[in-house]
mmCIF file of all heavy atoms in Angstrom:
data_model
loop_
_atom_site.group_PDB
_atom_site.id
_atom_site.type_symbol
_atom_site.label_atom_id
_atom_site.label_comp_id
_atom_site.label_asym_id
_atom_site.label_seq_id
_atom_site.Cartn_x
_atom_site.Cartn_y
_atom_site.Cartn_z
ATOM 1 N N ASN U 374 -17.250 -35.637 10.304
ATOM 2 C CA ASN U 374 -16.315 -34.501 10.339
ATOM 3 C C ASN U 374 -16.977 -33.184 10.828
ATOM 4 O O ASN U 374 -16.399 -32.107 10.678
ATOM 5 C CB ASN U 374 -15.717 -34.241 8.923
ATOM 6 C CG ASN U 374 -14.792 -35.372 8.505
ATOM 7 O OD1 ASN U 374 -14.108 -35.943 9.365
ATOM 8 N ND2 ASN U 374 -14.749 -35.699 7.270
ATOM 9 N N THR U 375 -18.132 -33.246 11.372
ATOM 10 C CA THR U 375 -18.772 -32.085 11.991
ATOM 11 C C THR U 375 -18.164 -31.862 13.317
ATOM 12 O O THR U 375 -18.148 -32.743 14.180
ATOM 13 C CB THR U 375 -20.291 -32.293 12.116
ATOM 14 O OG1 THR U 375 -20.851 -32.510 10.852
ATOM 15 C CG2 THR U 375 -20.943 -31.042 12.760
ATOM 16 N N GLN U 376 -17.591 -30.664 13.606
ATOM 17 C CA GLN U 376 -16.937 -30.390 14.843
ATOM 18 C C GLN U 376 -17.885 -29.758 15.834
ATOM 19 O O GLN U 376 -18.675 -28.879 15.491
ATOM 20 C CB GLN U 376 -15.717 -29.415 14.580
ATOM 21 C CG GLN U 376 -14.621 -30.062 13.716
ATOM 22 C CD GLN U 376 -13.478 -29.126 13.597
ATOM 23 O OE1 GLN U 376 -13.515 -27.952 13.969
ATOM 24 N NE2 GLN U 376 -12.360 -29.614 13.070
ATOM 25 N N THR U 377 -17.750 -30.220 17.054
ATOM 26 C CA THR U 377 -18.560 -29.613 18.134
ATOM 27 C C THR U 377 -17.579 -29.145 19.181
ATOM 28 O O THR U 377 -16.594 -29.816 19.518
ATOM 29 C CB THR U 377 -19.571 -30.603 18.778
ATOM 30 O OG1 THR U 377 -18.828 -31.711 19.229
ATOM 31 C CG2 THR U 377 -20.591 -31.046 17.739
ATOM 32 N N VAL U 378 -17.794 -27.963 19.739
ATOM 33 C CA VAL U 378 -16.876 -27.372 20.725
ATOM 34 C C VAL U 378 -17.557 -27.380 22.073
ATOM 35 O O VAL U 378 -18.666 -26.932 22.220
ATOM 36 C CB VAL U 378 -16.512 -25.917 20.332
ATOM 37 C CG1 VAL U 378 -15.615 -25.328 21.332
ATOM 38 C CG2 VAL U 378 -15.830 -25.889 18.942
ATOM 39 N N SER U 379 -16.824 -27.899 23.034
ATOM 40 C CA SER U 379 -17.311 -27.942 24.415
ATOM 41 C C SER U 379 -17.004 -26.602 25.078
ATOM 42 O O SER U 379 -15.834 -26.218 25.172
ATOM 43 C CB SER U 379 -16.652 -29.099 25.206
ATOM 44 O OG SER U 379 -17.028 -29.037 26.535
ATOM 45 N N ILE U 380 -17.997 -25.865 25.548
ATOM 46 C CA ILE U 380 -17.820 -24.593 26.191
ATOM 47 C C ILE U 380 -18.141 -24.741 27.691
ATOM 48 O O ILE U 380 -19.232 -25.179 28.063
ATOM 49 C CB ILE U 380 -18.767 -23.556 25.603
ATOM 50 C CG1 ILE U 380 -18.474 -23.364 24.089
ATOM 51 C CG2 ILE U 380 -18.628 -22.201 26.324
ATOM 52 C CD1 ILE U 380 -19.416 -22.414 23.382
ATOM 53 N N GLN U 381 -17.119 -24.403 28.522
ATOM 54 C CA GLN U 381 -17.300 -24.531 29.949
ATOM 55 C C GLN U 381 -18.059 -23.323 30.476
ATOM 56 O O GLN U 381 -17.600 -22.168 30.289
ATOM 57 C CB GLN U 381 -15.943 -24.659 30.608
ATOM 58 C CG GLN U 381 -16.052 -24.902 32.129
ATOM 59 C CD GLN U 381 -14.682 -25.111 32.743
ATOM 60 O OE1 GLN U 381 -13.707 -25.123 32.042
ATOM 61 N NE2 GLN U 381 -14.685 -25.298 34.035
ATOM 62 N N GLU U 382 -19.134 -23.559 31.132
ATOM 63 C CA GLU U 382 -19.953 -22.466 31.658
ATOM 64 C C GLU U 382 -19.266 -21.881 32.886
ATOM 65 O O GLU U 382 -18.677 -22.615 33.730
ATOM 66 C CB GLU U 382 -21.349 -22.925 32.058
ATOM 67 C CG GLU U 382 -22.190 -23.420 30.847
ATOM 68 C CD GLU U 382 -23.577 -23.791 31.292
ATOM 69 O OE1 GLU U 382 -23.879 -23.629 32.483
ATOM 70 O OE2 GLU U 382 -24.382 -24.228 30.387
ATOM 71 N N ALA U 383 -19.329 -20.568 33.037
ATOM 72 C CA ALA U 383 -18.755 -19.900 34.172
ATOM 73 C C ALA U 383 -19.566 -20.258 35.413
ATOM 74 O O ALA U 383 -20.758 -20.296 35.408
ATOM 75 C CB ALA U 383 -18.772 -18.406 33.948
ATOM 76 N N THR U 384 -18.881 -20.523 36.532
ATOM 77 C CA THR U 384 -19.550 -20.838 37.753
ATOM 78 C C THR U 384 -19.223 -19.822 38.808
ATOM 79 O O THR U 384 -18.100 -19.288 38.869
ATOM 80 C CB THR U 384 -19.130 -22.251 38.270
ATOM 81 O OG1 THR U 384 -17.730 -22.288 38.383
ATOM 82 C CG2 THR U 384 -19.604 -23.325 37.267
ATOM 83 N N GLU U 385 -20.162 -19.503 39.662
ATOM 84 C CA GLU U 385 -19.948 -18.530 40.711
ATOM 85 C C GLU U 385 -19.020 -19.158 41.761
ATOM 86 O O GLU U 385 -19.180 -20.329 42.128
ATOM 87 C CB GLU U 385 -21.247 -18.141 41.351
ATOM 88 C CG GLU U 385 -21.142 -17.016 42.398
ATOM 89 C CD GLU U 385 -20.721 -15.687 41.831
ATOM 90 O OE1 GLU U 385 -20.692 -15.502 40.626
ATOM 91 O OE2 GLU U 385 -20.273 -14.847 42.702
ATOM 92 N N PRO U 386 -17.992 -18.432 42.284
ATOM 93 C CA PRO U 386 -17.103 -18.946 43.313
ATOM 94 C C PRO U 386 -17.816 -19.184 44.637
ATOM 95 O O PRO U 386 -18.916 -18.710 44.837
ATOM 96 C CB PRO U 386 -16.047 -17.869 43.413
ATOM 97 C CG PRO U 386 -16.714 -16.610 42.929
ATOM 98 C CD PRO U 386 -17.638 -17.015 41.868
ATOM 99 N N GLU U 387 -17.195 -19.928 45.492
ATOM 100 C CA GLU U 387 -17.763 -20.177 46.809
ATOM 101 C C GLU U 387 -17.993 -18.918 47.603
ATOM 102 O O GLU U 387 -18.972 -18.737 48.320
ATOM 103 C CB GLU U 387 -16.843 -21.099 47.651
ATOM 104 C CG GLU U 387 -16.684 -22.489 47.029
ATOM 105 C CD GLU U 387 -15.695 -23.315 47.837
ATOM 106 O OE1 GLU U 387 -15.807 -23.370 49.079
ATOM 107 O OE2 GLU U 387 -14.742 -23.836 47.228
ATOM 108 N N TYR U 388 -17.071 -17.987 47.477
ATOM 109 C CA TYR U 388 -17.147 -16.736 48.155
ATOM 110 C C TYR U 388 -16.816 -15.579 47.217
ATOM 111 O O TYR U 388 -16.133 -15.793 46.230
ATOM 112 C CB TYR U 388 -16.124 -16.632 49.327
ATOM 113 C CG TYR U 388 -16.115 -17.803 50.288
ATOM 114 C CD1 TYR U 388 -15.173 -18.831 50.127
ATOM 115 C CD2 TYR U 388 -16.992 -17.881 51.365
ATOM 116 C CE1 TYR U 388 -15.116 -19.875 50.991
ATOM 117 C CE2 TYR U 388 -16.968 -18.952 52.217
ATOM 118 C CZ TYR U 388 -16.100 -19.985 52.038
ATOM 119 O OH TYR U 388 -16.024 -21.028 52.932
ATOM 120 N N ARG U 389 -17.322 -14.397 47.476
ATOM 121 C CA ARG U 389 -16.953 -13.241 46.740
ATOM 122 C C ARG U 389 -16.923 -12.056 47.692
ATOM 123 O O ARG U 389 -17.906 -11.802 48.366
ATOM 124 C CB ARG U 389 -17.855 -12.940 45.564
ATOM 125 C CG ARG U 389 -17.288 -11.870 44.611
ATOM 126 C CD ARG U 389 -18.163 -11.646 43.419
ATOM 127 N NE ARG U 389 -18.185 -12.716 42.439
ATOM 128 C CZ ARG U 389 -17.229 -12.901 41.534
ATOM 129 N NH1 ARG U 389 -16.187 -12.114 41.481
ATOM 130 N NH2 ARG U 389 -17.339 -13.901 40.649
ATOM 131 N N ASP U 390 -15.797 -11.347 47.791
ATOM 132 C CA ASP U 390 -15.699 -10.267 48.727
ATOM 133 C C ASP U 390 -16.270 -8.956 48.173
ATOM 134 O O ASP U 390 -16.745 -8.915 47.035
ATOM 135 C CB ASP U 390 -14.255 -10.069 49.241
ATOM 136 C CG ASP U 390 -13.259 -9.612 48.137
ATOM 137 O OD1 ASP U 390 -13.744 -9.072 47.077
ATOM 138 O OD2 ASP U 390 -12.063 -9.785 48.288
ATOM 139 N N GLU U 391 -16.207 -7.899 48.985
ATOM 140 C CA GLU U 391 -16.840 -6.653 48.612
ATOM 141 C C GLU U 391 -16.153 -5.969 47.433
ATOM 142 O O GLU U 391 -16.720 -5.139 46.753
ATOM 143 C CB GLU U 391 -16.875 -5.671 49.810
ATOM 144 C CG GLU U 391 -15.524 -5.221 50.326
ATOM 145 C CD GLU U 391 -14.883 -6.252 51.268
ATOM 146 O OE1 GLU U 391 -15.466 -7.336 51.492
ATOM 147 O OE2 GLU U 391 -13.749 -5.978 51.817
ATOM 148 N N GLN U 392 -14.936 -6.400 47.131
ATOM 149 C CA GLN U 392 -14.201 -5.834 45.967
ATOM 150 C C GLN U 392 -14.669 -6.513 44.622
ATOM 151 O O GLN U 392 -14.449 -5.961 43.590
ATOM 152 C CB GLN U 392 -12.723 -6.103 46.045
ATOM 153 C CG GLN U 392 -11.997 -5.491 47.293
ATOM 154 C CD GLN U 392 -10.562 -5.944 47.271
ATOM 155 O OE1 GLN U 392 -9.673 -5.172 46.893
ATOM 156 N NE2 GLN U 392 -10.295 -7.166 47.626
ATOM 157 N N GLY U 393 -15.210 -7.712 44.790
ATOM 158 C CA GLY U 393 -15.549 -8.465 43.604
ATOM 159 C C GLY U 393 -14.572 -9.598 43.329
ATOM 160 O O GLY U 393 -14.621 -10.238 42.266
ATOM 161 N N VAL U 394 -13.700 -9.885 44.261
ATOM 162 C CA VAL U 394 -12.713 -10.969 44.127
ATOM 163 C C VAL U 394 -13.385 -12.253 44.611
ATOM 164 O O VAL U 394 -13.903 -12.293 45.695
ATOM 165 C CB VAL U 394 -11.433 -10.705 44.898
ATOM 166 C CG1 VAL U 394 -10.489 -11.883 44.752
ATOM 167 C CG2 VAL U 394 -10.764 -9.467 44.401
ATOM 168 N N GLY U 395 -13.322 -13.313 43.812
ATOM 169 C CA GLY U 395 -13.869 -14.601 44.208
ATOM 170 C C GLY U 395 -12.852 -15.507 44.856
ATOM 171 O O GLY U 395 -11.621 -15.310 44.655
ATOM 172 N N TYR U 396 -13.309 -16.480 45.664
ATOM 173 C CA TYR U 396 -12.451 -17.421 46.359
ATOM 174 C C TYR U 396 -13.058 -18.797 46.290
ATOM 175 O O TYR U 396 -14.236 -18.982 46.433
ATOM 176 C CB TYR U 396 -12.306 -17.031 47.847
ATOM 177 C CG TYR U 396 -11.717 -15.667 48.139
ATOM 178 C CD1 TYR U 396 -12.518 -14.534 48.124
ATOM 179 C CD2 TYR U 396 -10.363 -15.474 48.352
ATOM 180 C CE1 TYR U 396 -12.021 -13.270 48.368
ATOM 181 C CE2 TYR U 396 -9.808 -14.257 48.581
ATOM 182 C CZ TYR U 396 -10.653 -13.146 48.594
ATOM 183 O OH TYR U 396 -10.152 -11.938 48.834
ATOM 184 N N ASN U 397 -12.172 -19.813 46.104
ATOM 185 C CA ASN U 397 -12.560 -21.202 46.171
ATOM 186 C C ASN U 397 -11.621 -21.884 47.145
ATOM 187 O O ASN U 397 -10.473 -21.454 47.365
ATOM 188 C CB ASN U 397 -12.488 -21.872 44.835
ATOM 189 C CG ASN U 397 -13.684 -21.545 43.936
ATOM 190 O OD1 ASN U 397 -14.734 -21.128 44.400
ATOM 191 N ND2 ASN U 397 -13.510 -21.682 42.628
ATOM 192 N N THR U 398 -12.100 -23.026 47.685
ATOM 193 C CA THR U 398 -11.328 -23.786 48.631
ATOM 194 C C THR U 398 -10.424 -24.800 47.957
ATOM 195 O O THR U 398 -10.869 -25.486 47.065
ATOM 196 C CB THR U 398 -12.244 -24.523 49.635
ATOM 197 O OG1 THR U 398 -13.153 -23.596 50.272
ATOM 198 C CG2 THR U 398 -11.441 -25.256 50.713
ATOM 199 N N LEU U 399 -9.117 -24.850 48.390
ATOM 200 C CA LEU U 399 -8.176 -25.821 47.846
ATOM 201 C C LEU U 399 -8.243 -27.108 48.666
ATOM 202 O O LEU U 399 -8.903 -27.151 49.719
ATOM 203 C CB LEU U 399 -6.786 -25.205 47.882
ATOM 204 C CG LEU U 399 -6.508 -23.987 47.039
ATOM 205 C CD1 LEU U 399 -5.162 -23.363 47.327
ATOM 206 C CD2 LEU U 399 -6.644 -24.364 45.544
ATOM 207 N N GLU U 400 -7.539 -28.143 48.182
ATOM 208 C CA GLU U 400 -7.578 -29.421 48.862
ATOM 209 C C GLU U 400 -7.100 -29.349 50.296
ATOM 210 O O GLU U 400 -7.568 -30.146 51.147
ATOM 211 C CB GLU U 400 -6.748 -30.444 48.085
ATOM 212 C CG GLU U 400 -7.385 -30.816 46.745
ATOM 213 C CD GLU U 400 -6.595 -31.898 46.006
ATOM 214 O OE1 GLU U 400 -5.538 -32.307 46.587
ATOM 215 O OE2 GLU U 400 -6.989 -32.318 44.922
ATOM 216 N N ASP U 401 -6.145 -28.456 50.580
ATOM 217 C CA ASP U 401 -5.614 -28.382 51.935
ATOM 218 C C ASP U 401 -6.464 -27.515 52.846
ATOM 219 O O ASP U 401 -6.103 -27.304 54.024
ATOM 220 C CB ASP U 401 -4.172 -27.839 51.939
ATOM 221 C CG ASP U 401 -4.055 -26.426 51.405
ATOM 222 O OD1 ASP U 401 -5.100 -25.837 51.063
ATOM 223 O OD2 ASP U 401 -2.918 -25.904 51.308
ATOM 224 N N GLY U 402 -7.599 -27.038 52.380
ATOM 225 C CA GLY U 402 -8.507 -26.234 53.196
ATOM 226 C C GLY U 402 -8.261 -24.749 53.079
ATOM 227 O O GLY U 402 -9.073 -23.925 53.542
ATOM 228 N N SER U 403 -7.148 -24.320 52.491
ATOM 229 C CA SER U 403 -6.907 -22.908 52.299
ATOM 230 C C SER U 403 -7.619 -22.408 51.073
ATOM 231 O O SER U 403 -8.241 -23.191 50.315
ATOM 232 C CB SER U 403 -5.414 -22.649 52.121
ATOM 233 O OG SER U 403 -4.944 -23.167 50.905
ATOM 234 N N LEU U 404 -7.642 -21.113 50.843
ATOM 235 C CA LEU U 404 -8.392 -20.509 49.726
ATOM 236 C C LEU U 404 -7.478 -20.010 48.644
ATOM 237 O O LEU U 404 -6.309 -19.659 48.889
ATOM 238 C CB LEU U 404 -9.207 -19.331 50.232
ATOM 239 C CG LEU U 404 -10.317 -19.582 51.275
ATOM 240 C CD1 LEU U 404 -11.004 -18.306 51.606
ATOM 241 C CD2 LEU U 404 -11.294 -20.601 50.792
ATOM 242 N N THR U 405 -7.955 -20.053 47.441
ATOM 243 C CA THR U 405 -7.308 -19.398 46.286
ATOM 244 C C THR U 405 -8.265 -18.396 45.728
ATOM 245 O O THR U 405 -9.485 -18.604 45.670
ATOM 246 C CB THR U 405 -6.962 -20.444 45.205
ATOM 247 O OG1 THR U 405 -6.394 -19.722 44.085
ATOM 248 C CG2 THR U 405 -8.132 -21.227 44.726
ATOM 249 N N THR U 406 -7.735 -17.271 45.267
ATOM 250 C CA THR U 406 -8.565 -16.332 44.566
ATOM 251 C C THR U 406 -8.909 -16.907 43.195
ATOM 252 O O THR U 406 -8.131 -17.680 42.619
ATOM 253 C CB THR U 406 -7.916 -14.972 44.401
ATOM 254 O OG1 THR U 406 -6.788 -15.111 43.524
ATOM 255 C CG2 THR U 406 -7.448 -14.330 45.726
ATOM 256 N N VAL U 407 -10.102 -16.580 42.728
ATOM 257 C CA VAL U 407 -10.476 -16.974 41.328
ATOM 258 C C VAL U 407 -10.871 -15.712 40.609
ATOM 259 O O VAL U 407 -10.511 -14.588 41.036
ATOM 260 C CB VAL U 407 -11.552 -18.077 41.359
ATOM 261 C CG1 VAL U 407 -10.986 -19.388 41.846
ATOM 262 C CG2 VAL U 407 -12.732 -17.684 42.256
ATOM 263 N N VAL U 408 -11.645 -15.819 39.585
ATOM 264 C CA VAL U 408 -11.918 -14.699 38.713
ATOM 265 C C VAL U 408 -12.477 -13.502 39.481
ATOM 266 O O VAL U 408 -13.353 -13.615 40.324
ATOM 267 C CB VAL U 408 -12.871 -15.089 37.580
ATOM 268 C CG1 VAL U 408 -14.247 -15.533 38.132
ATOM 269 C CG2 VAL U 408 -13.014 -14.006 36.592
ATOM 270 N N ALA U 409 -11.913 -12.344 39.250
ATOM 271 C CA ALA U 409 -12.317 -11.113 39.870
ATOM 272 C C ALA U 409 -13.036 -10.190 38.829
ATOM 273 O O ALA U 409 -12.814 -10.341 37.627
ATOM 274 C CB ALA U 409 -11.129 -10.353 40.452
#
């Protein structure tokens, strides 16, 4: 009954623009913004 919590580590996006907005590639090859 000891509970363990899985914590997902933050990962740096593939790209990050000068504003600080991150981008990752989608399956169709286009980009999605991620954490800014």
Side-chain angles (χ1 to χ4, degrees):
N374 294 325
T375 301
Q376 295 184 349
T377 58
V378 179
S379 175
I380 301 175
Q381 184 175 358
E382 295 184 3
T384 56
E385 185 64 15
E387 295 176 51
Y388 310 97
R389 191 178 289 280
D390 66 21
E391 63 278 3
Q392 301 176 102
V394 178
Y396 300 86
N397 283 338
T398 304
L399 296 171
E400 290 183 0
D401 63 2
S403 67
L404 297 180
T405 177
T406 66
V407 289
V408 64

